[in-house]
Amino acid sequence: MEILFDGMRWLHIVSGFLALCIFWVPIAVKKGGRPHRKVGWVYVWAMGSVSVSAFFMGIYRLTWDAGPDPDAIPFSWFLLLIAVLSSATAWYGIRVLRYKRRKAVHRQFADLLFPGLLLIMGVGISVYGWFIDFPLLQYFPILAIFLGGSQLIYWLKIPKTTSHWIVEHIVGMLSCCIATVTAFTVFGAPRLLNIESVSLIIWFLPTIVMVPMIIAFSNMYKKKMDRPKKSA
């Protein structure tokens, strides 16, 4: 089992580093163009590997070997939350493109499962964070609760705007980018900088920076695509 854990850890490191290096490309290039689509798919597959490996390592730490670090258990729960958050947002970002022309309520199990799980995990881990007085677990799950709830609402409502699919694609993929950079600041940065931990504000910096970016891109496409048609 330890050999498998080491393999998953290396998969996590390599995939996470790849995702961290390329996540900005689909943001910067022309939307819908070849580079956007090609690099976007590489990012999605990289984050899929990150999610699977993170989920395995989190379960491993919780059930087999937490190690001597007293914060290993709380960070393992955070790792599980990041795994679900990454996979849920990436899946959502892809699926809204496939159903961009839908005119009815969407109840496919595969599309309701992830946001439901994200919502439940967000609530449970936040309660756990308050119980053990661990700030990262107290506040970060709020993002998971919001995203899980908003995704469920989107699928269970009939779209009323032309821009609905591209706005939700932006929300999904940039939320996945938040998970990418947050995981690096929590797990990678302390090791690279050879410090024990970083401050809470640094952990939340990706969210603070990227949420306004999500709002700006969403408003831009809403204005562009939802303009009322001029009468002849």
Side-chain angles (χ1 to χ4, degrees), residues 61-188:
R61 289 299 189 194
L62 289 173
T63 56
W64 280 290
D65 181 21
D69 186 358
D71 291 335
I73 296 298
F75 277 115
S76 295
W77 281 111
F78 178 75
L79 193 60
L80 287 175
L81 181 62
I82 283 290
V84 175
L85 179 62
S86 301
S87 54
T89 50
W91 178 258
Y92 181 72
I94 294 169
R95 297 289 284 180
V96 294
L97 295 180
R98 181 171 182 178
Y99 293 99
K100 63 182 181 181
R101 292 184 176 86
R102 71 181 180 94
K103 302 295 183 182
V105 171
H106 183 81
R107 293 194 179 94
Q108 285 202 19
F109 177 77
D111 297 321
L112 300 182
L113 174 63
F114 270 126
L117 182 60
L118 191 58
L119 181 62
I120 293 170
M121 283 192 69
V123 172
I125 291 177
S126 181
V127 170
Y128 172 68
W130 284 101
F131 181 76
I132 65 172
D133 193 25
F134 199 81
L136 181 62
L137 297 188
Q138 290 172 340
Y139 299 107
F140 190 79
I142 294 174
L143 178 63
I145 295 169
F146 173 78
L147 290 173
S150 63
Q151 288 180 17
L152 284 174
I153 291 172
Y154 173 74
W155 287 126
L156 297 176
K157 287 182 64 177
I158 299 174
K160 296 182 179 180
T161 62
T162 306
S163 66
H164 69 92
W165 59 274
I166 193 167
V167 169
E168 296 305 316
H169 175 69
I170 291 168
V171 172
M173 300 314 298
L174 286 185
S175 297
C176 191
C177 292
I178 290 175
T180 303
V181 183
T182 302
F184 173 74
T185 60
V186 172
F187 296 109

Side-chain angles (χ1 to χ4, degrees), residues 1-2 17-18 30 37 47 91 114 144 147 162 177 179 226:
M1 186 63 72
E2 189 172 343
F17 183 74
L18 174 61
K30 180 182 177 182
R37 289 183 282 109
M47 287 307 297
W91 178 258
F114 270 126
L147 290 173
T162 306
C177 292
D226 296 337

Side-chain angles (χ1 to χ4, degrees), residues 35-78:
H36 178 88
R37 289 183 282 109
K38 293 294 184 181
V39 179
W41 274 113
V42 174
Y43 175 75
V44 167
W45 280 106
M47 287 307 297
S49 299
V50 167
S51 299
V52 171
S53 55
F55 192 83
F56 174 85
M57 290 190 296
I59 294 295
Y60 179 88
R61 289 299 189 194
L62 289 173
T63 56
W64 280 290
D65 181 21
D69 186 358
D71 291 335
I73 296 298
F75 277 115
S76 295
W77 281 111
F78 178 75

